[in-house]
Amino acid sequence: MTPSSNPPFSGYGLGLRKEHYSLVLQGQARLDFVEVISENFMVDGGQPRHILRQVREQLPVALHGVSMSIGSADGLDRDYLARLRALVDEIDPLFVSDHLSWSRIGAFNSHDLLPLPYTSETLDIVCANIDLAQDVLGRRLLVENPSSYVAFAQDAMSEWSFLGAVCERTGCELLLDVNNVYVSAQNHGQDALAYLEGLPADRVRQIHLAGHSQGRDLLIDTHDTAVCAAVWRLYEHAVALVGRVATMIERDDAIPPLEELLDELDVARAIGERVATARRQAAA
C-alpha cells in the first residue's frame, strides 16, 4: 500500500464503554467519533453488535484491536482476520488499529500485549504480518506504540526507529499513544521528546490519551485516572509536530460520569486549537 501524508483531521472522540451506551445513543455527547475494542464486537449478531450498529448510525466508529498479535512468529490467525473483515465491512470504520506487540503462540492467547525485541528478524515478522492483515482487511492498518516495562539486550534499534521502518516497508500508519510514550520514557529513562521527534510525523493518523498509575517500581498504563499535566504537555508537543489528528481519551477502569470525560476531551480540543492557530500565524 502506498503511504499517505497530511492526514485529514477527524475530530475528538472517546473510547465507548458500556457505562455510557445510553447517553451516547441519546445524542448527549459532544463527540466527533467513538472507538470500540474490536474483539468485543466480532461475534455476528447479539446485543453488542446491535448496539454498535445503532451507534454507527450516529457517529463514525474506530475499531481498536488487542489480539491481532502482529508480532507473532506463528503468523496471524486467519479466522480472526476473517471475523475482523466482516466487522469492517459492516461498520465501515474510521480507522482499524492494533498494537506493536504479540499475544499468541499456536492456539494459546495470553490476552496481554507482550513486548517485542526490536531486531531485523522481528521487523521482517511484523512487516509480513501487517502486509497480510492489510491485504485481508483491504485497508491500511494503524499500529500503536505500546507501553513498555522491559527492554531486550538484543534490541538493535529504538522503538521509534522500528515503527518508522514498519511504516516505510508496509505503508501502514501510526496510532500514537502519548501516554504510552510518557510511561515508557519514564520507565526506561528515555527522552519522551526525542521519541516523538523520531517518529515519521506524516504517518501519525490518530492519537490516544489516557491516565496511568505509579506501581512499586514502574509507571503502569492503567487507564484508570485522568490525563496528567505532563502528558498534556507532551500531547501539545506532539500536535505541534504532527498537526491536528483524530484524538481520543481511553478510560477502561474507574469509569467516571460521561460529562467528566467530555470535559477532559475539551482540554484536548483547546490544545489542538491553540497549536493550529499558532501554526497558521507562523505560516502567514
Side-chain angles (χ1 to χ4, degrees), residues 4-195:
S4 64
S5 61
N6 301 317
F9 177 64
S10 300
Y12 298 90
L14 291 177
L16 181 64
R17 304 297 179 254
K18 62 182 180 181
E19 290 83 352
H20 303 142
Y21 282 173
S22 61
L23 291 175
V24 171
L25 287 172
Q26 292 167 25
Q28 296 184 21
R30 306 183 299 278
L31 295 172
D32 301 307
F33 72 96
V34 295
E35 183 184 89
V36 299
I37 302 300
S38 305
E39 289 80 3
N40 291 342
F41 300 90
M42 284 171 58
V43 175
D44 191 21
Q47 186 68 3
R49 197 82 162 235
H50 175 64
I51 290 172
L52 185 60
R53 292 188 190 107
Q54 294 180 72
V55 171
R56 181 63 185 89
E57 291 175 359
Q58 300 185 26
L59 290 168
V61 172
L63 297 178
H64 185 51
V66 294
S67 295
M68 187 178 289
S69 192
I70 63 173
S72 174
D74 290 345
L76 300 186
D77 182 333
R78 288 179 180 268
D79 176 66
Y80 174 95
L81 290 178
R83 289 185 288 121
L84 180 57
R85 173 62 192 257
L87 183 62
V88 166
D89 287 346
E90 179 172 341
I91 299 303
D92 187 21
L94 188 60
F95 309 115
V96 180
S97 61
D98 210 300
H99 300 78
L100 181 64
S101 63
W102 69 283
S103 57
R104 183 176 53 79
I105 296 178
F108 174 75
N109 190 333
S110 73
H111 300 289
D112 285 315
L113 302 173
L114 300 173
L116 294 165
Y118 298 132
T119 66
S120 59
E121 181 181 13
T122 308
L123 183 62
D124 289 342
I125 291 168
V126 168
C127 289
N129 287 340
I130 291 176
D131 284 341
L132 174 60
Q134 293 185 141
D135 285 346
V136 172
L137 299 177
R139 63 167 53 223
R140 188 172 286 112
L141 188 69
L142 274 59
V143 177
E144 179 181 343
N145 57 295
S147 54
S148 177
Y149 311 99
V150 298
F152 293 87
Q154 297 88 344
D155 284 344
M157 62 190 88
S158 64
E159 186 172 282
W160 54 90
S161 296
F162 189 92
L163 285 166
V166 168
C167 290
E168 184 65 29
R169 283 179 50 173
T170 68
C172 76
E173 296 179 314
L174 296 178
L175 193 174
L176 171 59
D177 190 313
V178 176
N179 181 60
N180 285 354
V181 171
Y182 181 80
V183 167
S184 297
Q186 291 293 308
N187 287 343
H188 298 301
Q190 297 171 338
D191 182 345
L193 298 184
Y195 188 114

Side-chain angles (χ1 to χ4, degrees), residues 276-284:
T277 298
R279 288 164 67 101
R280 285 195 296 270
Q281 291 174 342

